[in-house]
Amino acid sequence: MLAVSGADLTHVQSHVTDLFAEYNRSFDNAEFRISTPAEYFEQIKDSVVVNAELADALAVQLGGRSQAAQLARTWEGVLFNQFHDIICGSHVDKVYVNTIDRYKAAGAAATECLEAAFDDVVARIDTQGKGIPLVVFNPLSWNRDDVVEYRIGFSEQDVLDIEVRDSAGTPVPHDLIACKRYNTGGIKRATALFICRDVPALGYEVYRVVPPQKHPPRRRCRTNQVTFITAHVHVDVLENEFFRLEIDSWNGAIRSLYDKRTDWEVIGADQPYGNTVVRELDNGNFLGVQRTLQR
């Protein structure tokens, strides 16, 4: 995408928008849109090149090796693409194929610098402690709240559930969005996300993935004269600042729905499972069958 929509089109010649529309119908390797400079810079403010420079500066401040030379070469490719004949669209298609290739090469080189700088910074952060550390960086110039997605795996087969805690040990809302488990019910691999709060500007926060502190006992639920037993090994959690929802991922039953604003647990202790579907075997009316045979 070369720009974002939303600009005032009254000052744009009609044949230009027609050309953009025709290109977008014919090709899918890039998308042309009309925008203002403010919208364009808002779209590219999280540029990987800029983030790589910030990470490199942070690594140097902590005693790491600067990657300024490679970053300079990366900027050369990006800036060359700002040549006025390229921007105004007066070149043939082959030139723009090369332009896109230069952007791809610059992005790959900047990503390499970014990852190397972050590795350098993480190596200098004290991440000792219980659980698996997750270092969240904030490249912006102000404190930031956002959603963090991560992937995790366990060789142990008894990790049935996880919590995410900040550097003060406070649990934060999190969710397993994809999970593969061992036959024991333990987590083998998972993709999860959590909400980070107030990560410092141009800084980082260390979160930790740990087993839950408390495991509820196995509970026996009796519904419509059908008895079944469930354990904590198959609980999925959805949580935000308003609600916490626990779902039994094996049978779809709602184990808990807690309203944080009113301190109300919707699923009562007398009926501990919501949305429960019960299947019963129907063997028919044997008395009716017997009378039919007698006739």
Side-chain angles (χ1 to χ4, degrees):
M1 184 176 67
L2 300 185
V4 296
S5 61
D8 182 4
L9 301 182
T10 59
H11 302 295
V12 179
Q13 294 176 321
S14 60
H15 75 278
V16 174
T17 56
D18 292 341
L19 287 173
F20 282 8
E22 180 61 29
Y23 182 92
N24 291 336
R25 283 193 296 268
S26 303
F27 302 96
D28 59 3
N29 58 339
E31 181 181 355
F32 284 91
R33 299 185 187 177
I34 307 297
S35 78
T36 64
E39 291 172 328
Y40 174 76
F41 288 116
E42 175 67 21
Q43 183 75 16
I44 66 171
K45 69 179 182 180
D46 291 330
S47 167
V48 65
V49 181
V50 176
N51 287 342
E53 285 187 318
L54 293 172
D56 183 68
L58 181 59
V60 171
Q61 288 293 321
L62 295 176
R65 179 179 59 86
S66 175
Q67 303 176 88
Q70 183 170 345
L71 287 170
R73 291 191 297 271
T74 299
W75 271 119
E76 288 178 1
V78 173
L79 296 176
F80 187 86
N81 284 343
Q82 311 307 307
F83 179 59
H84 64 89
D85 283 344
I86 294 177
I87 289 179
C88 68
S90 61
H91 280 304
V92 297
D93 291 347
K94 179 62 176 179
V95 174
Y96 290 101
V97 172
N98 294 336
T99 298
I100 293 173
D101 288 341
R102 278 193 294 271
Y103 276 129
K104 290 180 179 179
T111 299
E112 182 179 343
C113 290
L114 179 67
E115 293 177 351
F118 279 161
D119 288 343
D120 205 348
V121 172
V122 169
R124 290 169 167 77
I125 297 175
D126 184 4
T127 58
Q128 299 182 70
K130 181 181 178 182
I132 300 174
L134 299 174
V135 181
V136 177
F137 290 92
N138 176 18
L140 301 181
S141 300
W142 54 86
N143 290 10
R144 183 179 184 181
D145 297 347
D146 213 329
V147 175
V148 176
E149 181 176 318
Y150 66 97
R151 287 181 288 274
I152 196 169
F154 296 95
S155 57
E156 305 91 343
Q157 299 188 18
D158 58 350
V159 181
L160 307 179
D161 199 2
I162 56 176
E163 287 183 350
V164 178
R165 296 179 175 269
D166 61 19
S167 58
T170 304
V172 298
H174 77 286
D175 182 28
L176 290 176
I177 58 178
C179 184
K180 183 174 182 179
R181 295 180 180 271
Y182 293 103
N183 293 334
T184 60
I187 298 173
K188 185 176 184 179
R189 291 186 299 273
T191 300
L193 54 82
F194 65 92
I195 300 175
C196 63
R197 302 286 188 188
D198 205 30
V199 180
L202 299 177
Y204 61 87
E205 171 72 88
V206 179
Y207 292 83
R208 311 197 74 84
V209 179
V210 297
Q213 291 187 348
K214 295 181 180 179
H215 292 278
R218 294 169 64 93
R219 293 192 284 180
R220 181 178 296 272
C221 177
R222 190 172 185 83
T223 303
N224 197 19
Q225 305 302 317
V226 177
T227 300
F228 59 92
I229 299 175
T230 60
H232 191 64
V233 299
H234 49 274
V235 175
D236 289 332
V237 177
L238 299 173
E239 184 173 5
N240 58 22
E241 61 267 37
F242 304 112
F243 299 98
R244 176 181 172 85
L245 175 67
E246 294 184 5
I247 300 176
D248 189 315
S249 58
W250 285 0
N251 58 29
I254 298 176
R255 297 182 55 145
S256 172
L257 176 58
Y258 178 65
D259 188 338
K260 299 180 180 179
R261 300 167 298 180
T262 60
D263 192 26
W264 177 36
E265 173 56 64
V266 180
I267 308 300
D270 56 332
Q271 294 181 336
Y273 281 71
N275 192 37
T276 303
V277 178
V278 177
R279 183 178 66 181
E280 296 182 352
L281 178 63
D282 185 358
N283 292 315
N285 189 329
F286 291 107
L287 179 60
V289 173
Q290 183 179 10
R291 287 177 178 175
T292 300
L293 293 175
Q294 289 175 349
R295 292 193 187 117

mmCIF file of all heavy atoms in Angstrom, residues 150-186:
data_model
loop_
_atom_site.group_PDB
_atom_site.id
_atom_site.type_symbol
_atom_site.label_atom_id
_atom_site.label_comp_id
_atom_site.label_asym_id
_atom_site.label_seq_id
_atom_site.Cartn_x
_atom_site.Cartn_y
_atom_site.Cartn_z
ATOM 1 N N TYR A 150 2.084 -13.749 21.520
ATOM 2 C CA TYR A 150 3.326 -14.502 21.639
ATOM 3 C C TYR A 150 3.046 -15.989 21.458
ATOM 4 O O TYR A 150 1.901 -16.438 21.541
ATOM 5 C CB TYR A 150 3.980 -14.255 23.000
ATOM 6 C CG TYR A 150 3.193 -14.796 24.178
ATOM 7 C CD1 TYR A 150 3.507 -16.030 24.735
ATOM 8 C CD2 TYR A 150 2.138 -14.076 24.733
ATOM 9 C CE1 TYR A 150 2.793 -16.540 25.813
ATOM 10 C CE2 TYR A 150 1.417 -14.564 25.798
ATOM 11 C CZ TYR A 150 1.744 -15.800 26.331
ATOM 12 O OH TYR A 150 1.026 -16.307 27.388
ATOM 13 N N ARG A 151 4.107 -16.732 21.182
ATOM 14 C CA ARG A 151 4.018 -18.198 21.052
ATOM 15 C C ARG A 151 4.918 -18.837 22.101
ATOM 16 O O ARG A 151 6.004 -18.324 22.393
ATOM 17 C CB ARG A 151 4.423 -18.648 19.648
ATOM 18 C CG ARG A 151 3.395 -18.326 18.602
ATOM 19 C CD ARG A 151 3.805 -18.810 17.219
ATOM 20 N NE ARG A 151 4.893 -18.003 16.683
ATOM 21 C CZ ARG A 151 4.714 -16.864 16.023
ATOM 22 N NH1 ARG A 151 3.502 -16.399 15.837
ATOM 23 N NH2 ARG A 151 5.744 -16.190 15.549
ATOM 24 N N ILE A 152 4.462 -19.949 22.635
ATOM 25 C CA ILE A 152 5.179 -20.588 23.729
ATOM 26 C C ILE A 152 5.018 -22.099 23.609
ATOM 27 O O ILE A 152 4.046 -22.596 23.016
ATOM 28 C CB ILE A 152 4.630 -20.081 25.091
ATOM 29 C CG1 ILE A 152 5.593 -20.401 26.230
ATOM 30 C CG2 ILE A 152 3.249 -20.653 25.372
ATOM 31 C CD1 ILE A 152 5.242 -19.698 27.521
ATOM 32 N N GLY A 153 5.986 -22.852 24.137
ATOM 33 C CA GLY A 153 5.923 -24.303 24.114
ATOM 34 C C GLY A 153 6.525 -24.884 25.385
ATOM 35 O O GLY A 153 7.363 -24.249 26.042
ATOM 36 N N PHE A 154 6.100 -26.097 25.747
ATOM 37 C CA PHE A 154 6.577 -26.754 26.961
ATOM 38 C C PHE A 154 6.965 -28.191 26.633
ATOM 39 O O PHE A 154 6.219 -28.897 25.942
ATOM 40 C CB PHE A 154 5.491 -26.770 28.043
ATOM 41 C CG PHE A 154 5.089 -25.402 28.530
ATOM 42 C CD1 PHE A 154 3.986 -24.771 27.978
ATOM 43 C CD2 PHE A 154 5.816 -24.755 29.512
ATOM 44 C CE1 PHE A 154 3.604 -23.519 28.414
ATOM 45 C CE2 PHE A 154 5.443 -23.494 29.950
ATOM 46 C CZ PHE A 154 4.334 -22.873 29.403
ATOM 47 N N SER A 155 8.135 -28.611 27.108
ATOM 48 C CA SER A 155 8.512 -30.015 26.998
ATOM 49 C C SER A 155 7.889 -30.837 28.124
ATOM 50 O O SER A 155 7.629 -32.028 27.957
ATOM 51 C CB SER A 155 10.038 -30.158 27.033
ATOM 52 O OG SER A 155 10.571 -29.588 28.223
ATOM 53 N N GLU A 156 7.640 -30.165 29.280
ATOM 54 C CA GLU A 156 6.937 -30.859 30.365
ATOM 55 C C GLU A 156 5.480 -31.071 29.956
ATOM 56 O O GLU A 156 4.877 -30.224 29.319
ATOM 57 C CB GLU A 156 6.985 -30.040 31.663
ATOM 58 C CG GLU A 156 8.392 -29.678 32.105
ATOM 59 C CD GLU A 156 8.837 -28.339 31.527
ATOM 60 O OE1 GLU A 156 8.187 -27.876 30.557
ATOM 61 O OE2 GLU A 156 9.806 -27.782 32.035
ATOM 62 N N GLN A 157 4.924 -32.202 30.354
ATOM 63 C CA GLN A 157 3.567 -32.535 29.926
ATOM 64 C C GLN A 157 2.527 -32.272 31.006
ATOM 65 O O GLN A 157 1.370 -32.682 30.872
ATOM 66 C CB GLN A 157 3.505 -34.000 29.490
ATOM 67 C CG GLN A 157 4.413 -34.328 28.322
ATOM 68 C CD GLN A 157 4.205 -35.731 27.786
ATOM 69 O OE1 GLN A 157 3.175 -36.361 28.041
ATOM 70 N NE2 GLN A 157 5.171 -36.227 27.032
ATOM 71 N N ASP A 158 2.913 -31.563 32.077
ATOM 72 C CA ASP A 158 1.971 -31.322 33.164
ATOM 73 C C ASP A 158 1.634 -29.846 33.346
ATOM 74 O O ASP A 158 1.078 -29.456 34.364
ATOM 75 C CB ASP A 158 2.532 -31.881 34.481
ATOM 76 C CG ASP A 158 3.887 -31.271 34.842
ATOM 77 O OD1 ASP A 158 4.467 -30.563 33.987
ATOM 78 O OD2 ASP A 158 4.363 -31.494 35.967
ATOM 79 N N VAL A 159 1.959 -29.006 32.356
ATOM 80 C CA VAL A 159 1.597 -27.589 32.424
ATOM 81 C C VAL A 159 0.186 -27.460 31.855
ATOM 82 O O VAL A 159 -0.009 -27.376 30.645
ATOM 83 C CB VAL A 159 2.587 -26.712 31.630
ATOM 84 C CG1 VAL A 159 2.202 -25.243 31.745
ATOM 85 C CG2 VAL A 159 4.008 -26.933 32.136
ATOM 86 N N LEU A 160 -0.792 -27.455 32.741
ATOM 87 C CA LEU A 160 -2.186 -27.515 32.311
ATOM 88 C C LEU A 160 -2.761 -26.151 31.961
ATOM 89 O O LEU A 160 -3.688 -26.048 31.161
ATOM 90 C CB LEU A 160 -3.033 -28.152 33.417
ATOM 91 C CG LEU A 160 -2.539 -29.515 33.917
ATOM 92 C CD1 LEU A 160 -3.433 -30.029 35.022
ATOM 93 C CD2 LEU A 160 -2.447 -30.510 32.772
ATOM 94 N N ASP A 161 -2.238 -25.098 32.549
ATOM 95 C CA ASP A 161 -2.737 -23.755 32.297
ATOM 96 C C ASP A 161 -1.612 -22.769 32.590
ATOM 97 O O ASP A 161 -0.589 -23.137 33.182
ATOM 98 C CB ASP A 161 -3.951 -23.463 33.179
ATOM 99 C CG ASP A 161 -4.785 -22.299 32.662
ATOM 100 O OD1 ASP A 161 -4.433 -21.754 31.595
ATOM 101 O OD2 ASP A 161 -5.772 -21.934 33.324
ATOM 102 N N ILE A 162 -1.772 -21.518 32.184
ATOM 103 C CA ILE A 162 -0.735 -20.505 32.396
ATOM 104 C C ILE A 162 -1.380 -19.196 32.826
ATOM 105 O O ILE A 162 -2.565 -18.952 32.613
ATOM 106 C CB ILE A 162 0.105 -20.250 31.128
ATOM 107 C CG1 ILE A 162 -0.792 -19.856 29.947
ATOM 108 C CG2 ILE A 162 0.971 -21.457 30.805
ATOM 109 C CD1 ILE A 162 -0.032 -19.497 28.699
ATOM 110 N N GLU A 163 -0.570 -18.364 33.480
ATOM 111 C CA GLU A 163 -0.913 -16.988 33.802
ATOM 112 C C GLU A 163 0.189 -16.081 33.279
ATOM 113 O O GLU A 163 1.331 -16.524 33.112
ATOM 114 C CB GLU A 163 -1.066 -16.780 35.309
ATOM 115 C CG GLU A 163 -2.308 -17.365 35.926
ATOM 116 C CD GLU A 163 -2.415 -17.040 37.405
ATOM 117 O OE1 GLU A 163 -1.428 -16.528 37.983
ATOM 118 O OE2 GLU A 163 -3.477 -17.305 37.986
ATOM 119 N N VAL A 164 -0.148 -14.825 33.025
ATOM 120 C CA VAL A 164 0.840 -13.821 32.665
ATOM 121 C C VAL A 164 0.857 -12.770 33.763
ATOM 122 O O VAL A 164 -0.193 -12.250 34.147
ATOM 123 C CB VAL A 164 0.528 -13.178 31.297
ATOM 124 C CG1 VAL A 164 1.557 -12.105 30.962
ATOM 125 C CG2 VAL A 164 0.499 -14.238 30.204
ATOM 126 N N ARG A 165 2.047 -12.447 34.261
ATOM 127 C CA ARG A 165 2.192 -11.456 35.331
ATOM 128 C C ARG A 165 3.198 -10.392 34.917
ATOM 129 O O ARG A 165 4.172 -10.681 34.220
ATOM 130 C CB ARG A 165 2.641 -12.134 36.633
ATOM 131 C CG ARG A 165 1.600 -13.112 37.182
ATOM 132 C CD ARG A 165 2.057 -13.796 38.452
ATOM 133 N NE ARG A 165 0.993 -14.633 38.995
ATOM 134 C CZ ARG A 165 0.093 -14.209 39.883
ATOM 135 N NH1 ARG A 165 0.182 -12.964 40.339
ATOM 136 N NH2 ARG A 165 -0.859 -15.000 40.312
ATOM 137 N N ASP A 166 2.955 -9.152 35.381
ATOM 138 C CA ASP A 166 3.886 -8.071 35.068
ATOM 139 C C ASP A 166 5.062 -8.100 36.023
ATOM 140 O O ASP A 166 5.191 -9.016 36.862
ATOM 141 C CB ASP A 166 3.174 -6.724 35.085
ATOM 142 C CG ASP A 166 2.565 -6.385 36.449
ATOM 143 O OD1 ASP A 166 2.981 -6.979 37.470
ATOM 144 O OD2 ASP A 166 1.674 -5.509 36.490
ATOM 145 N N SER A 167 5.957 -7.093 35.941
ATOM 146 C CA SER A 167 7.170 -7.105 36.747
ATOM 147 C C SER A 167 6.881 -6.962 38.241
ATOM 148 O O SER A 167 7.729 -7.297 39.075
ATOM 149 C CB SER A 167 8.098 -5.974 36.302
ATOM 150 O OG SER A 167 7.452 -4.721 36.398
ATOM 151 N N ALA A 168 5.686 -6.483 38.594
ATOM 152 C CA ALA A 168 5.300 -6.381 40.005
ATOM 153 C C ALA A 168 4.608 -7.642 40.501
ATOM 154 O O ALA A 168 4.228 -7.717 41.671
ATOM 155 C CB ALA A 168 4.384 -5.167 40.202
ATOM 156 N N GLY A 169 4.437 -8.633 39.619
ATOM 157 C CA GLY A 169 3.780 -9.874 40.003
ATOM 158 C C GLY A 169 2.274 -9.849 39.901
ATOM 159 O O GLY A 169 1.599 -10.779 40.352
ATOM 160 N N THR A 170 1.719 -8.800 39.290
ATOM 161 C CA THR A 170 0.269 -8.666 39.167
ATOM 162 C C THR A 170 -0.231 -9.407 37.925
ATOM 163 O O THR A 170 0.302 -9.190 36.832
ATOM 164 C CB THR A 170 -0.130 -7.190 39.067
ATOM 165 O OG1 THR A 170 0.391 -6.490 40.199
ATOM 166 C CG2 THR A 170 -1.640 -7.034 39.020
ATOM 167 N N PRO A 171 -1.238 -10.283 38.057
ATOM 168 C CA PRO A 171 -1.770 -10.966 36.871
ATOM 169 C C PRO A 171 -2.381 -9.964 35.904
ATOM 170 O O PRO A 171 -2.987 -8.960 36.303
ATOM 171 C CB PRO A 171 -2.842 -11.898 37.455
ATOM 172 C CG PRO A 171 -2.501 -12.032 38.899
ATOM 173 C CD PRO A 171 -1.880 -10.742 39.309
ATOM 174 N N VAL A 172 -2.218 -10.225 34.605
ATOM 175 C CA VAL A 172 -2.795 -9.366 33.577
ATOM 176 C C VAL A 172 -3.739 -10.207 32.730
ATOM 177 O O VAL A 172 -3.572 -11.425 32.605
ATOM 178 C CB VAL A 172 -1.688 -8.741 32.695
ATOM 179 C CG1 VAL A 172 -0.771 -7.868 33.535
ATOM 180 C CG2 VAL A 172 -0.876 -9.811 31.979
ATOM 181 N N PRO A 173 -4.775 -9.595 32.132
ATOM 182 C CA PRO A 173 -5.702 -10.346 31.280
ATOM 183 C C PRO A 173 -4.975 -11.007 30.116
ATOM 184 O O PRO A 173 -4.141 -10.383 29.461
ATOM 185 C CB PRO A 173 -6.675 -9.261 30.783
ATOM 186 C CG PRO A 173 -6.593 -8.171 31.811
ATOM 187 C CD PRO A 173 -5.175 -8.183 32.295
ATOM 188 N N HIS A 174 -5.279 -12.272 29.887
ATOM 189 C CA HIS A 174 -4.630 -12.997 28.799
ATOM 190 C C HIS A 174 -5.605 -14.015 28.219
ATOM 191 O O HIS A 174 -6.652 -14.295 28.804
ATOM 192 C CB HIS A 174 -3.355 -13.698 29.277
ATOM 193 C CG HIS A 174 -3.626 -14.954 30.058
ATOM 194 N ND1 HIS A 174 -4.103 -14.939 31.348
ATOM 195 C CD2 HIS A 174 -3.496 -16.265 29.719
ATOM 196 C CE1 HIS A 174 -4.249 -16.186 31.776
ATOM 197 N NE2 HIS A 174 -3.898 -17.003 30.810
ATOM 198 N N ASP A 175 -5.229 -14.583 27.059
ATOM 199 C CA ASP A 175 -6.112 -15.523 26.381
ATOM 200 C C ASP A 175 -5.284 -16.458 25.519
ATOM 201 O O ASP A 175 -4.346 -16.022 24.841
ATOM 202 C CB ASP A 175 -7.121 -14.762 25.518
ATOM 203 C CG ASP A 175 -8.099 -15.693 24.817
ATOM 204 O OD1 ASP A 175 -8.366 -16.785 25.353
ATOM 205 O OD2 ASP A 175 -8.598 -15.334 23.738
ATOM 206 N N LEU A 176 -5.614 -17.742 25.556
ATOM 207 C CA LEU A 176 -5.036 -18.718 24.639
ATOM 208 C C LEU A 176 -5.874 -18.722 23.373
ATOM 209 O O LEU A 176 -7.054 -19.095 23.403
ATOM 210 C CB LEU A 176 -5.039 -20.118 25.265
ATOM 211 C CG LEU A 176 -4.074 -20.374 26.424
ATOM 212 C CD1 LEU A 176 -4.285 -21.778 26.967
ATOM 213 C CD2 LEU A 176 -2.641 -20.193 25.983
ATOM 214 N N ILE A 177 -5.291 -18.309 22.246
ATOM 215 C CA ILE A 177 -6.067 -18.246 21.012
ATOM 216 C C ILE A 177 -5.864 -19.488 20.142
ATOM 217 O O ILE A 177 -6.627 -19.725 19.226
ATOM 218 C CB ILE A 177 -5.742 -16.966 20.219
ATOM 219 C CG1 ILE A 177 -4.251 -16.880 19.890
ATOM 220 C CG2 ILE A 177 -6.176 -15.743 20.998
ATOM 221 C CD1 ILE A 177 -3.882 -15.662 19.074
ATOM 222 N N ALA A 178 -4.827 -20.269 20.423
ATOM 223 C CA ALA A 178 -4.619 -21.551 19.744
ATOM 224 C C ALA A 178 -3.749 -22.405 20.660
ATOM 225 O O ALA A 178 -2.775 -21.901 21.227
ATOM 226 C CB ALA A 178 -3.948 -21.370 18.387
ATOM 227 N N CYS A 179 -4.102 -23.663 20.795
ATOM 228 C CA CYS A 179 -3.367 -24.500 21.756
ATOM 229 C C CYS A 179 -3.377 -25.953 21.299
ATOM 230 O O CYS A 179 -4.420 -26.492 20.912
ATOM 231 C CB CYS A 179 -4.010 -24.376 23.142
ATOM 232 S SG CYS A 179 -3.133 -25.260 24.443
ATOM 233 N N LYS A 180 -2.207 -26.585 21.328
ATOM 234 C CA LYS A 180 -2.086 -28.021 21.082
ATOM 235 C C LYS A 180 -1.598 -28.653 22.372
ATOM 236 O O LYS A 180 -0.609 -28.204 22.958
ATOM 237 C CB LYS A 180 -1.105 -28.300 19.947
ATOM 238 C CG LYS A 180 -1.005 -29.782 19.598
ATOM 239 C CD LYS A 180 -0.146 -30.017 18.373
ATOM 240 C CE LYS A 180 -0.117 -31.498 18.016
ATOM 241 N NZ LYS A 180 0.708 -31.750 16.808
ATOM 242 N N ARG A 181 -2.268 -29.709 22.814
ATOM 243 C CA ARG A 181 -1.986 -30.303 24.114
ATOM 244 C C ARG A 181 -1.458 -31.736 23.980
ATOM 245 O O ARG A 181 -1.727 -32.420 22.990
ATOM 246 C CB ARG A 181 -3.239 -30.303 24.991
ATOM 247 C CG ARG A 181 -3.732 -28.899 25.357
ATOM 248 C CD ARG A 181 -4.971 -28.947 26.230
ATOM 249 N NE ARG A 181 -5.441 -27.624 26.579
ATOM 250 C CZ ARG A 181 -5.043 -26.929 27.638
ATOM 251 N NH1 ARG A 181 -4.168 -27.474 28.476
ATOM 252 N NH2 ARG A 181 -5.524 -25.734 27.881
ATOM 253 N N TYR A 182 -0.726 -32.166 25.014
ATOM 254 C CA TYR A 182 -0.323 -33.563 25.133
ATOM 255 C C TYR A 182 -1.547 -34.399 25.513
ATOM 256 O O TYR A 182 -2.610 -33.861 25.875
ATOM 257 C CB TYR A 182 0.752 -33.718 26.207
ATOM 258 C CG TYR A 182 2.073 -33.070 25.878
ATOM 259 C CD1 TYR A 182 2.442 -31.859 26.464
ATOM 260 C CD2 TYR A 182 2.973 -33.671 24.999
ATOM 261 C CE1 TYR A 182 3.667 -31.261 26.183
ATOM 262 C CE2 TYR A 182 4.194 -33.083 24.708
ATOM 263 C CZ TYR A 182 4.537 -31.882 25.304
ATOM 264 O OH TYR A 182 5.742 -31.298 25.016
ATOM 265 N N ASN A 183 -1.390 -35.713 25.450
ATOM 266 C CA ASN A 183 -2.480 -36.600 25.862
ATOM 267 C C ASN A 183 -2.818 -36.422 27.336
ATOM 268 O O ASN A 183 -3.928 -36.754 27.765
ATOM 269 C CB ASN A 183 -2.114 -38.060 25.584
ATOM 270 C CG ASN A 183 -2.017 -38.360 24.100
ATOM 271 O OD1 ASN A 183 -2.647 -37.692 23.294
ATOM 272 N ND2 ASN A 183 -1.225 -39.361 23.739
ATOM 273 N N THR A 184 -1.879 -35.914 28.103
ATOM 274 C CA THR A 184 -2.110 -35.669 29.525
ATOM 275 C C THR A 184 -2.968 -34.430 29.767
ATOM 276 O O THR A 184 -3.387 -34.183 30.888
ATOM 277 C CB THR A 184 -0.775 -35.479 30.249
ATOM 278 O OG1 THR A 184 -0.092 -34.347 29.679
ATOM 279 C CG2 THR A 184 0.095 -36.712 30.124
ATOM 280 N N GLY A 185 -3.203 -33.643 28.744
ATOM 281 C CA GLY A 185 -3.920 -32.384 28.902
ATOM 282 C C GLY A 185 -3.002 -31.193 29.018
ATOM 283 O O GLY A 185 -3.448 -30.049 28.970
ATOM 284 N N GLY A 186 -1.697 -31.440 29.190
ATOM 285 C CA GLY A 186 -0.737 -30.355 29.319
ATOM 286 C C GLY A 186 -0.532 -29.619 28.002
ATOM 287 O O GLY A 186 -0.711 -30.172 26.922
#
